[in-house]
Structure formats: C-alpha cells, structure tokens
C-alpha cells in the first residue's frame, strides 16, 4: 500500500472483461462493459460520506458537482457487500481503497497546480519544516552538516524528522496523510522514482516509512526513513491529506527539495563500510594528498576535494543527467561509479575534462596548475562544456570529489611503474633490433612513471562471494570498455589473484600493477625472439594518503602478493592464460649471471644530474660486458622523445663483483628538451661476451621543483577577510614568462587565478592575497604556480578557522562566497575571472612601478 496501487495489468482482468462483454452484449444487444479501472470507473452514490478520492475537487476542478452540499445532512455510512472481484481490483468492484495514494488516470506526477482547490473541511497543509538547518539534528546525524546548502540533505536508510502544520487540528481517526517524493522527469512508482509514504506504514526494513512522533493541535512531527536502496539525487517533496471533505494535494515547492545520498554508515546500504572510523577520511575529508614522480623520487601534492562546497553537489548530479543515466539506476553504486568514470573524461560524452598530454596547454590550464576539483566542476556545470585540461591525477582528484560528495567512500591511489597494455597480452612488450637498439615504432605498450586512479568501497552482488570491498575506478581515458572510455569498478581482490575475467576491466587493471616486461629481439629472418623477461618491473609502491594523517600508506599488498612469491607467480600465469601471448612462460632459454641496477642523485631543475649504473656479476668467472646507454626526456605516461645523449661503454666485472658506471647529464644538455614533470628515461641494453646473455634495463628519474611558501598574516574567522602571503624563488637561470598563481581551499572563498607576469632568473616573488573563510574548523589553502618554463610548483597552508559571531545560530546563513570578490551564479558560486585567468593582474608596488620590474614585490591581484 505504501507504494500506491499500480495500473491494472491486461491479464486476468482483461480476459474476464472479454467474457462479461461477450455475455452481456450478446444478450442485451449493446456493447459489453469494460470492467478495467483504467477504462471506466463506477461512480459512488452522491450520498456516500467518503467520496472516491480520485474524483474530488482536490484533483480535478470539474469534480465539485459530484460532492454533497455542506447544507445537506450527513448520511450514516452504509456497508457494502464485498464481491469476489474486490480481491482482484477494488476500484472495479466499486470500493475505494484508502491505502491507494497513486496518481489518478491521466495525471502526470509532479505536474500539479500551484494553487490547489480547497474545500471546507479539507486537511490543508499550511506549513512544512524539513528541519534542514546545517546545525540541526537532521544534518548532523546524517553527516551532511558541512554541505554549503540550505536544503535538507540526508542519507538513505536512515531516519530524519520533519514538522507539518495544518489549518485545522489533526484528528488521527478522521485524517490520513501521505508523503510524496518524486525524482526524474517521468517519475514512476514501479521504478522507485515516485515514492508514496503513508504515515504509519512501512512494509519492511528495506522500504520507505513514516511514523508520527508527536502532534499538538494542528502541528505534528514525523520521522521518515528512506529505503537503503533508494535512488540517490534531488527529490521533489509534497504532502497529500484525506478527510471526509476529500483529498488535498500540496503543491511542489522548490524550497522543500530534498537531496538523498548513499549512506556508508548504514549496514543495509551496499556502500556500507564496516570500519566506520575510516569514513572520516574517505567520505568527510575535504583535502588529501596525491603522489607523483617516480618510485625512487616520490613527490606529493595537496589536493582540495571540496565536495561540500556550494554548487558541487548539483554539478555531480548534473554529470549523471548529462550522461543520460536513468534515474531508476541511480540507486546502484556499481552503475553510478561506472558512469562517473566515463563522465569525468570528455571522450564519448562531452564529460568534465579534456585530457592533454602534448605539452601545449595554450588554450586552457596546465594540468599541473590545478589545485582542486571545485573550480573544475563548477565551470563544467556552468558552461556545459568540457574543461581544458586534465591528466591522470586531475581525473582521479575529480572522481574522489564526486563519489565522496554522493556518499561513496573513495580514496585516490598512485601506482608507480604503471603499465599500459594496448593489445590485451597482459605483458609489457619491448622490441629491439639485432643490435639491441629500441624499435620505437613497435613499442606501443608503455610504462607510466606513475598513474593515479581511485578505490571506492562497495558490495559486488554481481560477482561471486569474496569480491566486496575496494573497487578500482579509473577515469583517465586509456582504453575503451564496452565501447566507452571508462574503467571499473573492478575488484581489487580479483586483480590480486589474476582473475582477469571478472567484470569490469580486470584484465587492464591487472596489467597495470602486475604484468611482466618482455624484451624481444629481432632475428636475422625478421622474426622476434624473447631474450629476457623482467618480472618485478611493474606495480611498485602503490600509495594513498593514510587515514587521519598526511603520511603515505603503501597498499601494494592489497593489489598483489609479495613479488616473486609462489602466489604472485601463479596470479601472473593465471592472468596470462587469458591474454594473447599465453605461450611466453613455457620455455626460458636465458641465464642471469649479470644483473643491473641504477640510482640517481637527487637534483633540482636547473642543476646537473648524476646517474650510476651498477653491474653485478654472480658468476665465479670474470665477465666482459658491452653497454649502450640512451637518455631521453619523457612524459610521465612513458612516451619518450628521441635520445639526446648516447654513450657506449665496455665494462669488465670481476668474479662475484660489482662495477659502477657513472654518467653525467648537464643542464645545458637537457634544458632544450625538458617537458612536463621534468622526467627522463635511461635505457640500457648490452651483451655479455662470454655467455651472450642479453641485458636490458629502463630507469626513469625526474628533477625536483621548489615549493611555494604560504604564510597566514591575520586570524581566520568565518565571514571575515583574511590575508595570506605567497613567496616563491625562481630556481632557473632563465626568466619565467606569464607566471600564474592558482589558489583554492574547501570552505574558503578564494580567487581562481593571479597572473604576475615574468619572474627573472633566481628572482624571489612575494604576493599578498585575500580570502574569506566560509566554514569553521581546520582548512587547507592550496596554491600552485605555472609558467611555460616551470610547472609542478605547489604549496599548502593549514588554516584553523574560528567561528564568526553569528555562526551556529538558527536563521543565520553562512557567509556568501561572493563576499571575497566573487560573484554568485546559480547553482554555485562562480569567480568573476573564471573564464579568463589572464584577467587577474598584480597591482603596482608601493613605489608605483610595475611589479615585474623588481626582485621582490608585494602585489594584490584585482
């Protein structure tokens, strides 16, 4: 009854109707009556004290003539005998069902007049209080008090309270009440997008329900519980009441819209996380660390997720709408996460971000310059066009924001030496010619210095038992999945054990973390032969931010068994059986007397680099080795340019000894070739004279970049402007042109960009910038600097924000983001300079000269 009665199906009723029409029409010479309630309904006598609620003036204006006049004496109720047809269709049997609150024939749910027809005696709703205050019990108990929204935001499967007021006193004997929730353009009861909740009824613990907590005269307090499998999104809300005078339907008011989210605190929700203490990190934390660089030179940067900032929730729901995801499917976290992984990149569906790995970002923003997700999502929501540009850590940061905002526990994960398998071989194939020089035209597979994706927590009822928990979701557009550029969700447990046939995209995810490097050499007849398999080259130091601290947590053991263990080799060979080159592990014809390792001396951009190759002899006899060394700049995706430095070395290694081969790369040598991330790759190939053993090794390294120094200059109080100083020193002996600062922080109103122009060689720049705290508590202000000559420069400042004088009082709204020089444009706050970062300029310094002309300057962007 709580869902409302569905239209009578053309099944047994239709067959019975045909028989009755045939008998009735044949004998009396007139067409048979159609007993189906959707074709013709028997009217009740006008003297009935309770008219059919489907035919009263509250729904249809022309129904008033069928109602008794108020002056007529009320007739005593007359019991009607229930015929055998009553159990099949109550309206066809002439009996009105008081539990049927569904729409009348021809009524479109949600399309309701703003001024409903009211008759004397109706239970008319005069006021609704959803108790949506951010400091109220509803928002606090549902962990939604940080959302910068005044609407009610609750999580499914958990009760919330609301108040209603009527024009007359409520009488439980005479009055009936039903709450109505609608979502989507065509709400339907059968699809769970039109929810009817009669007060006092709940069929099961997994259904919607509403109970009366208290009432006093014409005011009542209700407790509503949503289904733990309900559709998530923004619902319209209304109330229906019934009395002897008929049915009253309150209009749908935008002020009473309700946001319903996933609930990882609810044990019946598929996204429930048993370790609820970790949800403070994986759902509620608004900032995090993203790791980059190489396995030997790990870098980290702070990312502002900002999932509670004004407008972000609407932007997340807009993504689902833009993809055309049916609302009925939005209760399934598996499908929601898969759609999010497709929509965060722009391929196929004009999603949020355009990927760009060319190094030319003149039409948009350098991916390294982004410091958070908020501005990206709000720009996409405002314009409807993909934002320029993103790379893997930007895609992953936005996915974390979206899924945390919707209520799914999510973390950002970095994998070092991450493989990109292009031919489903589940191996990284590297081809050489007869002289062991790389054949770049054949090397389609690549190994990324690092790759960033997401883990999200959910149950997997679509898989066998044992695959719940962390699931990989990857929004970076690398390979298509079922014709769409998305990846996941894929069970981490399936990846660990090489079960690459599990959905979704387990084979691709497995190759990223646990494939082998296979080196092929071209033979004289043109065929290729395996000369070496490097088993421990892929998937190192899989990292994420630790719970409750800013330390790095190594989660490699969740993704793979210990390197070289029997379980790990079994997983690799199990996966390879489902690849295109399953035969490679059958025969091995090479020995391993000689091994190589490489280390790099840490260097900053602008300094010389020293490499050392250590060649170790495991044999009791000395060995002579010829080595070819090639150095090339590379993008972090593994794509390399032509080598800019080549050397050949002859090395003699004593028995059971080690020989070190040094290599120096000067700044003048690599400066003309440097690209994003300052990464380079050393490729080594060689041969052992005595045994003909083929040697091959690839080593990536990067140059360090300086940090920004941020200092708070005044106390941070909600609603009051504060100042921060940014200090940066150019480490290069060249001028940085068109330098731009980006700044963002969750719960903080900040400008998007500040353009400061040129920064001279080794010049120090100081800037002061204002921001306005919007929410109290510990916040992080993140900044970055970008220029054509130098990128990947970041800084972070932790700010403890004190409550303002009116914070926490009922009726005192949070300060507007517009108070910090930003305009507000529905649905979220929009910076005035968002479309063109170059619109922000540094003001002249205190001496009146342009800021770019002095070594140290203090400027205020305008």
């Amino acid at each position: 009854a709580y869902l409302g009665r569905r239209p009578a199906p053309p099944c047994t009723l239709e067959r019975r109707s045909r028989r009755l029409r045939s008998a009735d029409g044949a004998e009396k010479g007139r067409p048979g009556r159609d007993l189906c309630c959707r074709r013709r309904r028997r009217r009740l006598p006008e003297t009935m004290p309770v008219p059919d609620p489907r035919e009263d003036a509250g729904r249809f204006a022309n129904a008033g003539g069928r109602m008794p006049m108020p002056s007529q004496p009320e007739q005593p109720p007359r019991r009607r005998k229930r015929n055998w047809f009553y159990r099949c269709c109550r309206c066809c049997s002439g009996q009105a069902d008081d539990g049927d609150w569904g729409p009348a024939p021809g009524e479109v749910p949600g399309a309701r007049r703003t001024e409903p027809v009211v008759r004397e005696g109706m239970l008319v709703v005069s006021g609704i209080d959803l108790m949506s205050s951010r400091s109220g019990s509803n928002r606090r108990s549902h962990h939604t008090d940080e959302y910068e929204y005044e609407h009610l935001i609750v999580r499914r499967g958990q009760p919330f309270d609301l108040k209603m007021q009527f024009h007359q006193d409520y009488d439980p004997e005479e009055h009936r009440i039903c709450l109505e929730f609608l979502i989507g353009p065509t709400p339907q009861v059968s699809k769970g997008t039109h929810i009817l909740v009669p007060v006092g009824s709940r069929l099961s613990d997994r259904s919607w329900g509403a109970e009366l907590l208290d009432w006093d005269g014409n005011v009542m307090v209700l407790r509503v519980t949503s289904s733990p499998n309900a559709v998530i999104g923004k619902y319209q809300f209304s109330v229906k009441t019934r009395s002897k005078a008929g049915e009253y339907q309150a209009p749908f008011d935008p002020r009473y819209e309700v946001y319903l989210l996933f609930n990882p605190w609810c044990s019946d929700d598929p996204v429930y996380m048993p370790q609820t203490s970790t949800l403070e990190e994986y759902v509620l934390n608004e900032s995090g660390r993203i790791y980059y660089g190489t396995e030997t030179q790990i870098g980290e940067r702070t990312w502002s997720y900002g999932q509670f900032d004004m407008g972000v929730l609407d932007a997340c729901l807009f993504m689902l709408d833009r993809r055309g995801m049916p609302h009925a499917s939005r209760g399934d976290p598996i499908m929601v996460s898969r759609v999010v992984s497709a929509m965060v990149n722009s391929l196929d569906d004009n999603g949020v971000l355009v990927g760009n790995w060319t190094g030319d970002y003149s039409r948009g923003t350098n991916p390294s310059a982004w410091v958070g997700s908020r501005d990206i999502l709000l720009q996409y929501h405002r314009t409807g066009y993909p934002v320029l540009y993103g790379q893997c850590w930007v895609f992953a940061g936005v996915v974390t924001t979206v899924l945390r905002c919707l209520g799914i526990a999510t973390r950002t994960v970095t994998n070092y030496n991450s493989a990109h398998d292009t031919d489903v071989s589940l191996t990284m194939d590297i081809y050489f010619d007869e002289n062991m020089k790389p054949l770049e035209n054949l090397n389609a597979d690549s190994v990324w210095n690092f790759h960033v994706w997401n883990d999200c927590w959910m149950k997997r009822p679509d898989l066998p038992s044992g695959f719940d928990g962390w699931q990989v979701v990857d929004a970076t557009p690398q390979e298509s999945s079922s014709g769409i550029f998305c990846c996941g969700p894929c069970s981490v447990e399936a990846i660990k054990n090489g079960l690459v046939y599990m959905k979704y995209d387990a084979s691709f995810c497995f190759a990223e973390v646990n494939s082998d490097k296979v080196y092929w050499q071209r033979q004289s007849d043109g065929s290729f032969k395996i000369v070496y398999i490097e088993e421990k080259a892929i998937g190192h130091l899989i990292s994420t931010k630790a719970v409750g601290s800013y330390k790095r947590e190594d989660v490699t053991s969740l993704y793979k068994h210990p390197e070289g263990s029997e379980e790990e080799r079994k997983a690799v060979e199990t996966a390879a059986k489902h690849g295109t080159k399953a035969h490679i592990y059958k025969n091995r014809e090479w020995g391993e007397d000689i091994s190589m390792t490489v280390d790099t001396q840490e260097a900053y951009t602008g300094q010389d680099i020293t490499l050392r190759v250590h060649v170790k002899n495991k044999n009791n006899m000395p060995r002579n080795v010829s080595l070819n060394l090639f150095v090339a700049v590379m993008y972090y995706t593994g794509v390399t340019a032509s080598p800019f430095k080549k050397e050949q070395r002859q090395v003699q290694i004593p028995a059971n000894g080690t020989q070190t081969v040094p290599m120096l790369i000067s700044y003048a040598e690599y400066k003309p070739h440097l690209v994003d991330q300052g990464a380079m790759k050393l490729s080594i190939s060689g041969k052992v004279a005595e045994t003909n053993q083929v040697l091959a090794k690839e080593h990536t390294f990067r140059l360090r970049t300086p940090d920004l120094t941020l200092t708070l200059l005044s106390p941070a109080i909600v609603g009051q402007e504060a100042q921060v100083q940014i200090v940066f020193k150019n480490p290069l002996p060249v001028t940085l042109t068109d330098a731009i600062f980006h700044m963002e922080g969750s719960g903080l109103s900040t400008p998007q960009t500040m353009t400061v122009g040129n920064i001279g060689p080794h010049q120090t720049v100081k800037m002061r910038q204002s921001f306005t705290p919007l929410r109290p508590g510990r916040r992080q202000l993140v900044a970055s600097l970008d220029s054509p000559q130098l990128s990947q420069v970041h800084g972070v400042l932790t700010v403890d924000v004190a409550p303002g004088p009116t914070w926490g009082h009922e009726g005192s709204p949070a300060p507007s983001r517009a108070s910090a020089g930003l305009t507000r444009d529905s649905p979220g706050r929009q910076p005035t300079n968002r479309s063109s970062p170059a619109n922000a300029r540094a003001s002249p310094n205190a001496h009146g000269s342009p800021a770019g002309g002095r070594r140290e300057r203090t400027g205020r962007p305008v």
Side-chain angles (χ1 to χ4, degrees), residues 178-213:
C178 180
L179 310 181
E180 187 174 15
F181 298 85
L182 295 92
I183 188 170
T186 57
Q188 298 180 47
V189 171
S190 60
K191 294 184 179 296
T193 54
H194 184 189
I195 311 298
L196 296 164
V197 191
V199 174
S201 64
R202 193 178 189 193
L203 297 181
S204 69
D205 291 339
R206 290 186 164 271
S207 64
W208 288 72
E211 58 179 322
L212 179 61
L213 290 185

Side-chain angles (χ1 to χ4, degrees), residues 87 133 143 173 175 296 299 368 413 499 523 544 546 605 685 693 758 854 856:
R87 285 188 293 269
S133 169
H143 305 93
E173 298 296 329
H175 299 145
T296 58
S368 298
V413 176
L499 306 179
Q523 306 300 300
T544 189
T605 302
S685 62
Q693 176 189 345
N758 297 341
R854 297 181 62 87
E856 297 186 2

Side-chain angles (χ1 to χ4, degrees), residues 322-387:
R322 186 67 177 270
R323 178 64 190 170
M325 183 181 189
H327 283 76
S329 301
R330 300 187 187 185
D332 183 359
I334 300 172
M335 290 296 100
V336 169
S337 61
R338 187 158 174 81
V339 168
V340 168
S341 75
M343 280 301 298
V344 168
N345 69 74
S346 65
L347 298 181
D348 308 314
D349 40 34
N350 288 322
V352 177
L353 278 162
V354 176
N356 185 345
W357 289 266
T358 66
D360 179 10
Y361 312 116
S362 56
R363 296 179 56 198
T365 299
N366 187 328
S368 298
W370 294 115
V371 293
S373 308
R374 180 187 69 202
D375 290 334
I376 296 172
L377 287 168
L378 295 185
Q379 179 177 335
Y380 178 69
H381 190 195
R382 187 183 80 254
T383 66
Y385 291 101
V387 179

Side-chain angles (χ1 to χ4, degrees), residues 48 55 158 215 222 271 274 422 467 494 535 576 596 701 795:
M48 284 291 291
E55 298 187 354
Q158 183 175 338
W215 91 88
L222 299 177
V271 302
T422 59
F467 295 97
E535 296 180 347
M596 292 186 296
F701 56 96

Side-chain angles (χ1 to χ4, degrees), residues 151-180:
H151 287 85
L152 178 62
I153 304 176
V154 292
R155 301 188 187 275
R156 64 185 191 176
Q158 183 175 338
F160 62 92
D161 299 338
L162 60 88
K163 295 179 181 178
M164 287 193 297
Q165 185 174 12
F166 306 97
H167 281 304
Q168 66 186 72
D169 287 351
Y170 169 72
D171 184 347
E173 298 296 329
E174 299 291 335
H175 299 145
R176 298 290 180 267
I177 301 172
C178 180
L179 310 181
E180 187 174 15

